[in-house]
Amino acid sequence: MTRTRGWATVWTVVRLAMAGVTVAAISAQLTKSIGTAIELGRDVPTTIANFFSFFTILSNAAAAVVLAWIAVWYLFKGRRTDAEPHGLAVALACVSTYMIITGIVYNTLLRGIELPQGSAPIPWSNEVLHLIGPIFLLLDVFLGPLRRSLPWRSLWAVVAFPIVWVIYTMIRGPLVTNPVSADPFWYPYPFLNPNNPGGWPSVVLYVIGIAAAIVAVGAFVVWWGRRRAASAMASDDAGEAASVPSSVASD
């Protein structure tokens, strides 16, 4: 089913819709955070910088861009090809991994905890960013059309951004004054805050655990894409063989 042009067109429209909903969810929460900062006299530039320092926000923003990108590619070029371009396939594997990890981490470790994003979460926006979006990107791994087989070295591209983000977060954390509590530090997630009970050993353990999860999910995304591509190629070969007249095949 996922190889048909009809399905590819339908899923492309769904991808565009998901990109739009994600942008709306990010915009709504950002607007509320800025409005709350202005109302309470907090530092607005710091509030905005903090907002875009959340892995969730960056992952969702990247996912929206890639989903829109691949939809535009399909509408203008993809209907005449059998697989997405390599660079687009890598980008899609990356954001799929990040969004799945966002869903897992939030719903196992952070649900019910108010994060320091500058205001109370907007319920519908929160669910889009932490649940609906991750589920959609997981479904996209299984249902997205024209998926390309990626080499295993693509995993390096998948893990590059999380590594950079963790380094950025841990360097920036003690340099920022929390605009809400006035603490002389700010970390987007409690498990990355070395000032919490457990200190640095706890932070290191969480980082190692989440890094292992990112590698595992990324490996699954790449493996499944390779499996789907191999299955599609075998199906195409079988179809071509079946279309050859028996008299020709016997010669």
Side-chain angles (χ1 to χ4, degrees):
M1 180 186 72
T2 59
R3 298 272 298 170
T4 67
R5 296 302 177 189
W7 174 255
T9 301
V10 169
W11 197 253
T12 294
V13 173
V14 175
R15 280 171 165 170
L16 272 177
M18 188 69 238
V21 170
T22 301
V23 170
I26 294 173
S27 300
Q29 188 61 62
L30 176 61
T31 300
K32 183 175 182 181
S33 295
I34 293 174
T36 300
I38 293 174
E39 179 183 349
L40 299 179
R42 298 171 182 167
D43 187 76
V44 173
T46 300
T47 297
I48 296 173
N50 288 352
F51 184 84
F52 285 104
S53 293
F54 282 93
F55 188 83
T56 293
I57 298 300
L58 295 174
S59 297
N60 274 274
V65 170
V66 173
L67 288 175
W69 175 19
I70 195 170
V72 171
W73 166 80
Y74 177 78
L75 293 174
F76 287 94
K77 294 183 178 180
R79 285 176 288 184
R80 298 184 296 273
T81 62
D82 295 323
E84 60 215 1
H86 180 268
L88 186 50
V90 172
L92 193 56
C94 287
V95 297
S96 297
T97 300
Y98 307 153
M99 289 295 288
I100 293 169
I101 287 295
T102 292
I104 292 173
V105 172
Y106 180 82
N107 289 286
T108 57
L109 298 178
L110 300 172
R111 182 168 284 279
I113 298 175
E114 186 169 324
L115 300 176
Q117 56 192 2
S119 68
I122 300 173
W124 73 266
S125 171
N126 194 61
E127 294 306 307
V128 168
L129 301 177
H130 295 102
L131 183 63
I132 297 174
I135 289 175
F136 179 81
L137 267 296
L138 177 60
L139 290 176
D140 193 75
V141 171
F142 295 106
L143 302 177
L146 307 183
R147 298 305 289 262
R148 174 181 292 274
S149 176
L150 291 173
W152 284 109
R153 64 177 179 274
S154 300
L155 271 177
W156 288 109
V158 173
V159 302
F161 168 68
I163 291 173
V164 172
W165 177 80
V166 168
I167 294 172
Y168 158 80
T169 298
M170 303 318 295
I171 291 176
R172 183 177 183 268
L175 303 178
V176 177
T177 298
N178 191 320
V180 177
S181 64
D183 289 329
F185 53 82
W186 183 91
Y187 296 89
Y189 303 107
F191 55 77
L192 292 180
N193 187 352
N195 301 284
N196 284 338
W200 278 104
S202 176
V203 171
V204 171
L205 286 176
Y206 272 111
V207 168
I208 292 174
I210 294 174
I214 290 173
V215 172
V217 171
F220 170 77
V221 170
V222 172
W223 171 76
W224 189 262
R226 291 167 63 89
R227 183 177 183 273
R228 285 188 60 192
S231 176
M233 183 178 296
S235 177
D236 290 343
D237 290 344
E240 291 177 4
S243 66
V244 176
S246 57
S247 60
V248 175
S250 63
D251 292 343

